[in-house]
Amino acid sequence: NKEDFISFLGHFCKDSIFQKQRIEFPLNMTFLDNDYNEVKESWNQEQWQFTSFYYDCDSIAILYYDSNRSFKDTDYRILYINGVENGINAKFTFERIGSKWVMTKYEDYST
């Protein structure tokens, strides 16, 4: 049985223990340093800090492929979070490994 991504993401964003269990460590991280230079690192489980992704919101926007509210059945999803006039710009990559979703990459270009 393949895990539903939206159900997974809801749990992932609210449960810190579940979140750490569903990140593939070492996690490929990309972020900007204080001089806006791109830094690439591999983080272990101890370096990761829980993030709610939606900043205390209880809903997410969903884009479907057609009017039947369907998705292409792929094992790959990308979540972008772009703020409005606040500098937030992050990309989270998820892959379904076996039947379960895990986060495999995190890129944060926030300024």
Short mmCIF file of all heavy atoms in Angstrom, two decimals, residues 2-62:
data_model
loop_
_atom_site.label_atom_id
_atom_site.label_comp_id
_atom_site.label_asym_id
_atom_site.label_seq_id
_atom_site.Cartn_x
_atom_site.Cartn_y
_atom_site.Cartn_z
N LYS A 2 0.72 2.09 -1.01
CA LYS A 2 1.50 3.31 -1.10
C LYS A 2 0.93 4.36 -0.16
O LYS A 2 -0.27 4.60 -0.13
CB LYS A 2 1.48 3.85 -2.52
CG LYS A 2 2.25 3.00 -3.51
CD LYS A 2 2.21 3.66 -4.88
CE LYS A 2 2.96 2.83 -5.89
NZ LYS A 2 2.88 3.44 -7.22
N GLU A 3 1.81 5.00 0.58
CA GLU A 3 1.41 6.07 1.50
C GLU A 3 0.97 7.31 0.73
O GLU A 3 1.62 7.72 -0.23
CB GLU A 3 2.59 6.40 2.40
CG GLU A 3 2.32 7.42 3.46
CD GLU A 3 3.51 7.59 4.39
OE1 GLU A 3 4.67 7.57 3.93
OE2 GLU A 3 3.27 7.73 5.60
N ASP A 4 -0.14 7.91 1.13
CA ASP A 4 -0.65 9.13 0.54
C ASP A 4 0.23 10.31 0.97
O ASP A 4 0.50 10.50 2.16
CB ASP A 4 -2.10 9.36 1.01
CG ASP A 4 -2.64 10.68 0.54
OD1 ASP A 4 -2.83 10.84 -0.67
OD2 ASP A 4 -2.86 11.56 1.40
N PHE A 5 0.68 11.11 0.00
CA PHE A 5 1.61 12.20 0.30
C PHE A 5 0.99 13.28 1.18
O PHE A 5 1.63 13.75 2.12
CB PHE A 5 2.15 12.84 -0.99
CG PHE A 5 3.15 13.92 -0.70
CD1 PHE A 5 4.42 13.62 -0.26
CD2 PHE A 5 2.81 15.26 -0.86
CE1 PHE A 5 5.35 14.61 0.03
CE2 PHE A 5 3.72 16.26 -0.58
CZ PHE A 5 4.99 15.94 -0.14
N ILE A 6 -0.23 13.68 0.91
CA ILE A 6 -0.86 14.76 1.68
C ILE A 6 -1.03 14.34 3.14
O ILE A 6 -0.75 15.12 4.05
CB ILE A 6 -2.20 15.18 1.05
CG1 ILE A 6 -1.99 15.68 -0.38
CG2 ILE A 6 -2.89 16.24 1.90
CD1 ILE A 6 -1.03 16.86 -0.51
N SER A 7 -1.45 13.11 3.38
CA SER A 7 -1.58 12.61 4.76
C SER A 7 -0.22 12.57 5.44
O SER A 7 -0.06 12.98 6.59
CB SER A 7 -2.21 11.22 4.78
OG SER A 7 -3.49 11.27 4.24
N PHE A 8 0.78 12.07 4.70
CA PHE A 8 2.15 12.03 5.22
C PHE A 8 2.62 13.43 5.60
O PHE A 8 3.15 13.65 6.69
CB PHE A 8 3.10 11.42 4.18
CG PHE A 8 4.52 11.86 4.34
CD1 PHE A 8 5.32 11.32 5.33
CD2 PHE A 8 5.05 12.84 3.52
CE1 PHE A 8 6.64 11.75 5.49
CE2 PHE A 8 6.36 13.28 3.67
CZ PHE A 8 7.15 12.72 4.66
N LEU A 9 2.44 14.40 4.70
CA LEU A 9 2.94 15.76 4.93
C LEU A 9 2.28 16.40 6.14
O LEU A 9 2.95 17.08 6.93
CB LEU A 9 2.73 16.61 3.68
CG LEU A 9 3.41 17.97 3.67
CD1 LEU A 9 4.92 17.84 3.82
CD2 LEU A 9 3.06 18.73 2.41
N GLY A 10 0.99 16.19 6.32
CA GLY A 10 0.31 16.72 7.49
C GLY A 10 0.91 16.21 8.79
O GLY A 10 1.14 16.96 9.73
N HIS A 11 1.22 14.92 8.83
CA HIS A 11 1.85 14.31 10.01
C HIS A 11 3.29 14.80 10.16
O HIS A 11 3.74 15.13 11.25
CB HIS A 11 1.79 12.79 9.86
CG HIS A 11 2.07 12.04 11.11
ND1 HIS A 11 2.14 10.67 11.13
CD2 HIS A 11 2.32 12.42 12.38
CE1 HIS A 11 2.42 10.26 12.35
NE2 HIS A 11 2.54 11.31 13.13
N PHE A 12 4.01 14.87 9.06
CA PHE A 12 5.41 15.29 9.03
C PHE A 12 5.59 16.70 9.58
O PHE A 12 6.57 17.01 10.25
CB PHE A 12 5.91 15.21 7.59
CG PHE A 12 7.38 15.44 7.41
CD1 PHE A 12 8.28 14.41 7.60
CD2 PHE A 12 7.86 16.67 7.00
CE1 PHE A 12 9.64 14.60 7.41
CE2 PHE A 12 9.21 16.88 6.81
CZ PHE A 12 10.11 15.84 7.02
N CYS A 13 4.63 17.58 9.29
CA CYS A 13 4.73 18.98 9.69
C CYS A 13 4.35 19.24 11.13
O CYS A 13 4.60 20.32 11.65
CB CYS A 13 3.86 19.85 8.78
SG CYS A 13 4.46 19.88 7.09
N LYS A 14 3.73 18.27 11.79
CA LYS A 14 3.24 18.50 13.14
C LYS A 14 3.89 17.64 14.22
O LYS A 14 3.74 17.92 15.39
CB LYS A 14 1.72 18.27 13.18
CG LYS A 14 0.97 19.29 12.37
CD LYS A 14 -0.51 19.06 12.41
CE LYS A 14 -1.21 20.13 11.57
NZ LYS A 14 -2.65 19.95 11.53
N ASP A 15 4.62 16.61 13.82
CA ASP A 15 5.15 15.65 14.78
C ASP A 15 6.68 15.58 14.65
O ASP A 15 7.20 15.06 13.67
CB ASP A 15 4.52 14.27 14.52
CG ASP A 15 4.93 13.21 15.51
OD1 ASP A 15 6.05 13.30 16.08
OD2 ASP A 15 4.15 12.27 15.70
N SER A 16 7.39 16.11 15.63
CA SER A 16 8.85 16.19 15.55
C SER A 16 9.52 14.82 15.51
O SER A 16 10.53 14.63 14.83
CB SER A 16 9.39 17.01 16.72
OG SER A 16 9.08 16.39 17.96
N ILE A 17 8.99 13.86 16.24
CA ILE A 17 9.57 12.51 16.25
C ILE A 17 9.37 11.85 14.89
O ILE A 17 10.31 11.29 14.30
CB ILE A 17 8.97 11.66 17.38
CG1 ILE A 17 9.37 12.26 18.73
CG2 ILE A 17 9.42 10.20 17.28
CD1 ILE A 17 8.65 11.69 19.93
N PHE A 18 8.14 11.92 14.36
CA PHE A 18 7.85 11.37 13.05
C PHE A 18 8.72 12.03 11.98
O PHE A 18 9.24 11.36 11.09
CB PHE A 18 6.36 11.56 12.73
CG PHE A 18 5.94 11.01 11.40
CD1 PHE A 18 5.74 9.65 11.23
CD2 PHE A 18 5.73 11.85 10.32
CE1 PHE A 18 5.34 9.13 10.01
CE2 PHE A 18 5.33 11.35 9.09
CZ PHE A 18 5.14 9.98 8.94
N GLN A 19 8.90 13.35 12.09
CA GLN A 19 9.70 14.07 11.12
C GLN A 19 11.12 13.52 11.07
O GLN A 19 11.64 13.25 9.98
CB GLN A 19 9.71 15.56 11.45
CG GLN A 19 10.34 16.41 10.37
CD GLN A 19 10.20 17.88 10.66
OE1 GLN A 19 11.16 18.49 11.15
NE2 GLN A 19 9.05 18.45 10.36
N LYS A 20 11.75 13.35 12.20
CA LYS A 20 13.13 12.83 12.21
C LYS A 20 13.20 11.41 11.66
O LYS A 20 14.19 11.04 11.02
CB LYS A 20 13.72 12.88 13.61
CG LYS A 20 14.41 14.17 13.91
CD LYS A 20 15.29 14.07 15.13
CE LYS A 20 16.07 15.34 15.30
NZ LYS A 20 16.95 15.33 16.45
N GLN A 21 12.15 10.63 11.88
CA GLN A 21 12.13 9.27 11.37
C GLN A 21 12.00 9.24 9.85
O GLN A 21 12.40 8.27 9.22
CB GLN A 21 10.97 8.48 11.99
CG GLN A 21 11.11 8.23 13.45
CD GLN A 21 9.84 7.66 14.08
OE1 GLN A 21 8.76 7.73 13.50
NE2 GLN A 21 9.98 7.11 15.27
N ARG A 22 11.43 10.29 9.28
CA ARG A 22 11.15 10.31 7.85
C ARG A 22 12.05 11.25 7.06
O ARG A 22 11.70 11.74 6.01
CB ARG A 22 9.69 10.69 7.62
CG ARG A 22 8.72 9.67 8.12
CD ARG A 22 8.93 8.31 7.41
NE ARG A 22 7.82 7.43 7.65
CZ ARG A 22 6.74 7.36 6.89
NH1 ARG A 22 6.64 8.09 5.82
NH2 ARG A 22 5.77 6.55 7.21
N ILE A 23 13.24 11.48 7.58
CA ILE A 23 14.28 12.22 6.84
C ILE A 23 15.41 11.25 6.57
O ILE A 23 15.84 10.52 7.46
CB ILE A 23 14.79 13.43 7.65
CG1 ILE A 23 13.66 14.44 7.86
CG2 ILE A 23 15.96 14.08 6.93
CD1 ILE A 23 14.01 15.60 8.75
N GLU A 24 15.86 11.25 5.34
CA GLU A 24 16.98 10.38 4.98
C GLU A 24 18.28 11.08 5.36
O GLU A 24 18.67 12.08 4.75
CB GLU A 24 16.94 10.08 3.47
CG GLU A 24 17.97 9.07 3.06
CD GLU A 24 17.81 8.71 1.60
OE1 GLU A 24 18.33 9.44 0.74
OE2 GLU A 24 17.14 7.70 1.33
N PHE A 25 18.91 10.58 6.42
CA PHE A 25 20.18 11.14 6.89
C PHE A 25 21.33 10.31 6.37
O PHE A 25 21.21 9.09 6.27
CB PHE A 25 20.21 11.18 8.42
CG PHE A 25 19.25 12.17 9.02
CD1 PHE A 25 18.07 11.75 9.61
CD2 PHE A 25 19.53 13.52 8.97
CE1 PHE A 25 17.18 12.65 10.16
CE2 PHE A 25 18.65 14.44 9.52
CZ PHE A 25 17.47 14.01 10.12
N PRO A 26 22.47 10.92 6.05
CA PRO A 26 22.71 12.36 6.11
C PRO A 26 21.88 13.09 5.06
O PRO A 26 21.73 12.62 3.94
CB PRO A 26 24.20 12.49 5.85
CG PRO A 26 24.59 11.26 5.11
CD PRO A 26 23.65 10.19 5.55
N LEU A 27 21.33 14.23 5.45
CA LEU A 27 20.45 15.02 4.60
C LEU A 27 21.27 16.04 3.81
O LEU A 27 22.07 16.78 4.39
CB LEU A 27 19.42 15.75 5.45
CG LEU A 27 18.43 16.65 4.71
CD1 LEU A 27 17.55 15.83 3.77
CD2 LEU A 27 17.58 17.43 5.70
N ASN A 28 21.08 16.05 2.49
CA ASN A 28 21.75 17.04 1.65
C ASN A 28 21.11 18.40 1.88
O ASN A 28 19.92 18.58 1.63
CB ASN A 28 21.63 16.66 0.18
CG ASN A 28 22.40 15.41 -0.14
OD1 ASN A 28 23.49 15.19 0.37
ND2 ASN A 28 21.84 14.56 -0.98
N MET A 29 21.90 19.34 2.39
CA MET A 29 21.43 20.68 2.73
C MET A 29 22.15 21.70 1.85
O MET A 29 23.35 21.60 1.64
CB MET A 29 21.76 21.00 4.19
CG MET A 29 21.15 20.08 5.21
SD MET A 29 19.45 20.47 5.54
CE MET A 29 19.59 22.10 6.23
N THR A 30 21.40 22.70 1.39
CA THR A 30 21.98 23.84 0.70
C THR A 30 21.34 25.09 1.30
O THR A 30 20.13 25.14 1.47
CB THR A 30 21.67 23.79 -0.82
OG1 THR A 30 22.14 22.55 -1.35
CG2 THR A 30 22.35 24.94 -1.54
N PHE A 31 22.16 26.06 1.65
CA PHE A 31 21.66 27.30 2.23
C PHE A 31 22.64 28.43 1.94
O PHE A 31 23.74 28.18 1.43
CB PHE A 31 21.41 27.16 3.74
CG PHE A 31 22.60 26.70 4.52
CD1 PHE A 31 23.47 27.61 5.08
CD2 PHE A 31 22.85 25.34 4.70
CE1 PHE A 31 24.58 27.19 5.80
CE2 PHE A 31 23.95 24.91 5.42
CZ PHE A 31 24.82 25.84 5.98
N LEU A 32 22.24 29.64 2.25
CA LEU A 32 23.09 30.80 2.03
C LEU A 32 23.76 31.21 3.33
O LEU A 32 23.13 31.21 4.39
CB LEU A 32 22.26 31.98 1.51
CG LEU A 32 21.53 31.76 0.19
CD1 LEU A 32 20.71 33.01 -0.17
CD2 LEU A 32 22.50 31.43 -0.93
N ASP A 33 25.05 31.55 3.24
CA ASP A 33 25.73 32.06 4.44
C ASP A 33 25.43 33.54 4.58
O ASP A 33 24.64 34.12 3.82
CB ASP A 33 27.23 31.75 4.40
CG ASP A 33 27.99 32.49 3.31
OD1 ASP A 33 27.45 33.45 2.71
OD2 ASP A 33 29.16 32.12 3.04
N ASN A 34 26.06 34.20 5.54
CA ASN A 34 25.79 35.62 5.82
C ASN A 34 26.16 36.55 4.67
O ASN A 34 25.68 37.67 4.58
CB ASN A 34 26.51 36.06 7.09
CG ASN A 34 25.93 35.41 8.32
OD1 ASN A 34 24.76 35.00 8.32
ND2 ASN A 34 26.72 35.28 9.37
N ASP A 35 27.05 36.06 3.77
CA ASP A 35 27.44 36.86 2.60
C ASP A 35 26.71 36.41 1.34
O ASP A 35 27.12 36.74 0.23
CB ASP A 35 28.96 36.75 2.39
CG ASP A 35 29.75 37.36 3.53
OD1 ASP A 35 29.31 38.42 4.04
OD2 ASP A 35 30.78 36.78 3.93
N TYR A 36 25.64 35.62 1.52
CA TYR A 36 24.80 35.12 0.42
C TYR A 36 25.53 34.15 -0.51
O TYR A 36 25.17 34.01 -1.67
CB TYR A 36 24.17 36.27 -0.38
CG TYR A 36 23.38 37.20 0.49
CD1 TYR A 36 23.86 38.46 0.81
CD2 TYR A 36 22.15 36.81 1.01
CE1 TYR A 36 23.14 39.32 1.64
CE2 TYR A 36 21.42 37.67 1.83
CZ TYR A 36 21.92 38.90 2.13
OH TYR A 36 21.20 39.75 2.95
N ASN A 37 26.56 33.50 0.01
CA ASN A 37 27.24 32.45 -0.75
C ASN A 37 26.53 31.13 -0.49
O ASN A 37 26.12 30.85 0.64
CB ASN A 37 28.71 32.33 -0.33
CG ASN A 37 29.48 33.60 -0.61
OD1 ASN A 37 29.46 34.10 -1.73
ND2 ASN A 37 30.15 34.12 0.41
N GLU A 38 26.41 30.31 -1.52
CA GLU A 38 25.76 29.01 -1.38
C GLU A 38 26.67 28.04 -0.63
O GLU A 38 27.84 27.91 -0.96
CB GLU A 38 25.43 28.47 -2.77
CG GLU A 38 24.61 27.21 -2.74
CD GLU A 38 24.22 26.76 -4.13
OE1 GLU A 38 23.20 27.25 -4.64
OE2 GLU A 38 24.95 25.94 -4.70
N VAL A 39 26.11 27.40 0.38
CA VAL A 39 26.85 26.44 1.19
C VAL A 39 26.14 25.09 1.07
O VAL A 39 24.93 25.01 1.20
CB VAL A 39 26.88 26.88 2.68
CG1 VAL A 39 27.57 25.83 3.54
CG2 VAL A 39 27.53 28.24 2.83
N LYS A 40 26.91 24.05 0.82
CA LYS A 40 26.35 22.69 0.74
C LYS A 40 26.95 21.86 1.86
O LYS A 40 28.16 21.85 2.05
CB LYS A 40 26.66 22.05 -0.61
CG LYS A 40 25.94 22.72 -1.77
CD LYS A 40 26.25 22.01 -3.08
CE LYS A 40 25.56 22.70 -4.23
NZ LYS A 40 24.23 22.22 -4.50
N GLU A 41 26.06 21.19 2.61
CA GLU A 41 26.49 20.34 3.71
C GLU A 41 25.64 19.08 3.75
O GLU A 41 24.56 19.04 3.16
CB GLU A 41 26.34 21.07 5.06
CG GLU A 41 27.23 22.26 5.23
CD GLU A 41 27.10 22.92 6.60
OE1 GLU A 41 26.22 22.53 7.39
OE2 GLU A 41 27.87 23.84 6.87
N SER A 42 26.12 18.11 4.46
CA SER A 42 25.34 16.91 4.77
C SER A 42 25.10 16.91 6.26
O SER A 42 26.06 16.89 7.04
CB SER A 42 26.10 15.65 4.37
OG SER A 42 26.18 15.55 2.98
N TRP A 43 23.83 16.98 6.66
CA TRP A 43 23.50 17.04 8.08
C TRP A 43 23.12 15.67 8.60
O TRP A 43 22.42 14.91 7.94
CB TRP A 43 22.32 17.99 8.30
CG TRP A 43 22.70 19.43 8.29
CD1 TRP A 43 23.82 20.00 7.75
CD2 TRP A 43 21.94 20.50 8.83
NE1 TRP A 43 23.79 21.35 7.93
CE2 TRP A 43 22.65 21.69 8.59
CE3 TRP A 43 20.72 20.57 9.50
CZ2 TRP A 43 22.19 22.93 9.00
CZ3 TRP A 43 20.25 21.81 9.89
CH2 TRP A 43 21.00 22.97 9.65
N ASN A 44 23.56 15.41 9.84
CA ASN A 44 23.15 14.18 10.50
C ASN A 44 21.91 14.48 11.35
O ASN A 44 21.45 15.61 11.45
CB ASN A 44 24.29 13.60 11.35
CG ASN A 44 24.73 14.53 12.46
OD1 ASN A 44 23.93 15.25 13.05
ND2 ASN A 44 26.02 14.52 12.75
N GLN A 45 21.38 13.45 11.96
CA GLN A 45 20.13 13.57 12.71
C GLN A 45 20.24 14.56 13.87
O GLN A 45 19.30 15.28 14.18
CB GLN A 45 19.71 12.19 13.22
CG GLN A 45 18.29 12.13 13.68
CD GLN A 45 17.85 10.71 13.94
OE1 GLN A 45 18.67 9.80 14.07
NE2 GLN A 45 16.56 10.50 14.03
N GLU A 46 21.40 14.65 14.49
CA GLU A 46 21.58 15.55 15.63
C GLU A 46 21.56 17.01 15.21
O GLU A 46 21.23 17.89 16.01
CB GLU A 46 22.88 15.22 16.38
CG GLU A 46 22.87 13.89 17.12
CD GLU A 46 23.00 12.68 16.18
OE1 GLU A 46 23.73 12.77 15.17
OE2 GLU A 46 22.34 11.66 16.47
N GLN A 47 21.93 17.32 13.98
CA GLN A 47 21.96 18.70 13.51
C GLN A 47 20.57 19.21 13.11
O GLN A 47 20.35 20.41 13.10
CB GLN A 47 22.90 18.82 12.31
CG GLN A 47 24.36 18.64 12.66
CD GLN A 47 25.22 18.57 11.43
OE1 GLN A 47 25.19 17.59 10.70
NE2 GLN A 47 25.98 19.63 11.19
N TRP A 48 19.67 18.33 12.80
CA TRP A 48 18.34 18.73 12.33
C TRP A 48 17.49 19.26 13.47
O TRP A 48 17.45 18.69 14.55
CB TRP A 48 17.63 17.55 11.68
CG TRP A 48 16.25 17.93 11.20
CD1 TRP A 48 15.07 17.64 11.80
CD2 TRP A 48 15.93 18.70 10.05
NE1 TRP A 48 14.02 18.17 11.09
CE2 TRP A 48 14.54 18.84 10.00
CE3 TRP A 48 16.70 19.30 9.05
CZ2 TRP A 48 13.89 19.54 8.99
CZ3 TRP A 48 16.04 19.99 8.04
CH2 TRP A 48 14.66 20.09 8.03
N GLN A 49 16.81 20.38 13.23
CA GLN A 49 15.85 20.93 14.18
C GLN A 49 14.47 20.88 13.55
O GLN A 49 14.31 21.19 12.36
CB GLN A 49 16.21 22.37 14.53
CG GLN A 49 17.49 22.48 15.32
CD GLN A 49 17.78 23.92 15.71
OE1 GLN A 49 17.03 24.83 15.44
NE2 GLN A 49 18.90 24.11 16.38
N PHE A 50 13.49 20.50 14.34
CA PHE A 50 12.12 20.38 13.87
C PHE A 50 11.65 21.67 13.21
O PHE A 50 11.92 22.76 13.69
CB PHE A 50 11.19 20.03 15.03
CG PHE A 50 9.73 20.05 14.67
CD1 PHE A 50 9.20 19.03 13.89
CD2 PHE A 50 8.91 21.06 15.09
CE1 PHE A 50 7.86 19.04 13.55
CE2 PHE A 50 7.57 21.08 14.77
CZ PHE A 50 7.04 20.06 13.99
N THR A 51 10.96 21.52 12.09
CA THR A 51 10.35 22.66 11.43
C THR A 51 8.92 22.30 11.06
O THR A 51 8.65 21.19 10.63
CB THR A 51 11.14 23.11 10.19
OG1 THR A 51 10.49 24.24 9.61
CG2 THR A 51 11.27 22.02 9.16
N SER A 52 8.00 23.24 11.27
CA SER A 52 6.59 22.97 10.98
C SER A 52 6.25 23.29 9.53
O SER A 52 5.16 22.98 9.09
CB SER A 52 5.68 23.77 11.91
OG SER A 52 5.83 25.15 11.65
N PHE A 53 7.16 23.87 8.78
CA PHE A 53 7.00 24.20 7.37
C PHE A 53 5.94 25.26 7.10
O PHE A 53 6.12 26.10 6.27
CB PHE A 53 6.65 22.95 6.53
CG PHE A 53 7.77 21.98 6.44
CD1 PHE A 53 7.94 21.03 7.42
CD2 PHE A 53 8.66 22.03 5.39
CE1 PHE A 53 8.98 20.13 7.34
CE2 PHE A 53 9.71 21.13 5.31
CZ PHE A 53 9.87 20.19 6.29
N TYR A 54 4.80 25.20 7.77
CA TYR A 54 3.70 26.11 7.46
C TYR A 54 3.58 27.23 8.48
O TYR A 54 2.62 27.96 8.46
CB TYR A 54 2.38 25.35 7.33
CG TYR A 54 2.45 24.39 6.20
CD1 TYR A 54 2.55 23.04 6.43
CD2 TYR A 54 2.48 24.85 4.90
CE1 TYR A 54 2.65 22.16 5.37
CE2 TYR A 54 2.59 23.97 3.84
CZ TYR A 54 2.67 22.62 4.08
OH TYR A 54 2.79 21.76 3.05
N TYR A 55 4.51 27.33 9.37
CA TYR A 55 4.56 28.42 10.32
C TYR A 55 3.23 28.59 11.06
O TYR A 55 2.58 29.61 11.00
CB TYR A 55 5.00 29.71 9.63
CG TYR A 55 6.25 29.50 8.82
CD1 TYR A 55 6.21 29.39 7.45
CD2 TYR A 55 7.47 29.32 9.46
CE1 TYR A 55 7.35 29.14 6.71
CE2 TYR A 55 8.62 29.07 8.72
CZ TYR A 55 8.56 28.99 7.35
OH TYR A 55 9.69 28.74 6.63
N ASP A 56 2.81 27.51 11.71
CA ASP A 56 1.62 27.46 12.55
C ASP A 56 0.30 27.54 11.78
O ASP A 56 -0.73 27.86 12.35
CB ASP A 56 1.65 28.56 13.62
CG ASP A 56 2.84 28.39 14.55
OD1 ASP A 56 3.18 27.22 14.85
OD2 ASP A 56 3.41 29.39 14.96
N CYS A 57 0.29 27.24 10.50
CA CYS A 57 -0.95 27.18 9.73
C CYS A 57 -1.49 25.76 9.76
O CYS A 57 -0.73 24.81 9.92
CB CYS A 57 -0.72 27.59 8.27
SG CYS A 57 -0.22 29.30 8.08
N ASP A 58 -2.78 25.62 9.62
CA ASP A 58 -3.41 24.30 9.63
C ASP A 58 -3.87 23.86 8.25
O ASP A 58 -4.61 22.89 8.13
CB ASP A 58 -4.61 24.28 10.59
CG ASP A 58 -4.16 24.28 12.04
OD1 ASP A 58 -3.08 23.75 12.32
OD2 ASP A 58 -4.90 24.83 12.87
N SER A 59 -3.49 24.56 7.22
CA SER A 59 -3.91 24.16 5.88
C SER A 59 -2.77 24.39 4.89
O SER A 59 -1.84 25.15 5.16
CB SER A 59 -5.14 24.95 5.45
OG SER A 59 -4.84 26.32 5.39
N ILE A 60 -2.87 23.70 3.75
CA ILE A 60 -1.89 23.88 2.70
C ILE A 60 -2.62 24.04 1.37
O ILE A 60 -3.75 23.59 1.21
CB ILE A 60 -0.90 22.69 2.60
CG1 ILE A 60 -1.65 21.38 2.31
CG2 ILE A 60 -0.07 22.57 3.86
CD1 ILE A 60 -0.73 20.22 2.02
N ALA A 61 -1.98 24.69 0.43
CA ALA A 61 -2.53 24.80 -0.92
C ALA A 61 -2.12 23.57 -1.70
O ALA A 61 -1.00 23.07 -1.57
CB ALA A 61 -1.99 26.06 -1.59
N ILE A 62 -3.03 23.05 -2.50
CA ILE A 62 -2.76 21.87 -3.30
C ILE A 62 -3.08 22.19 -4.75
O ILE A 62 -4.15 22.72 -5.05
CB ILE A 62 -3.60 20.66 -2.85
CG1 ILE A 62 -3.31 20.33 -1.40
CG2 ILE A 62 -3.35 19.46 -3.74
CD1 ILE A 62 -4.22 19.28 -0.82
#
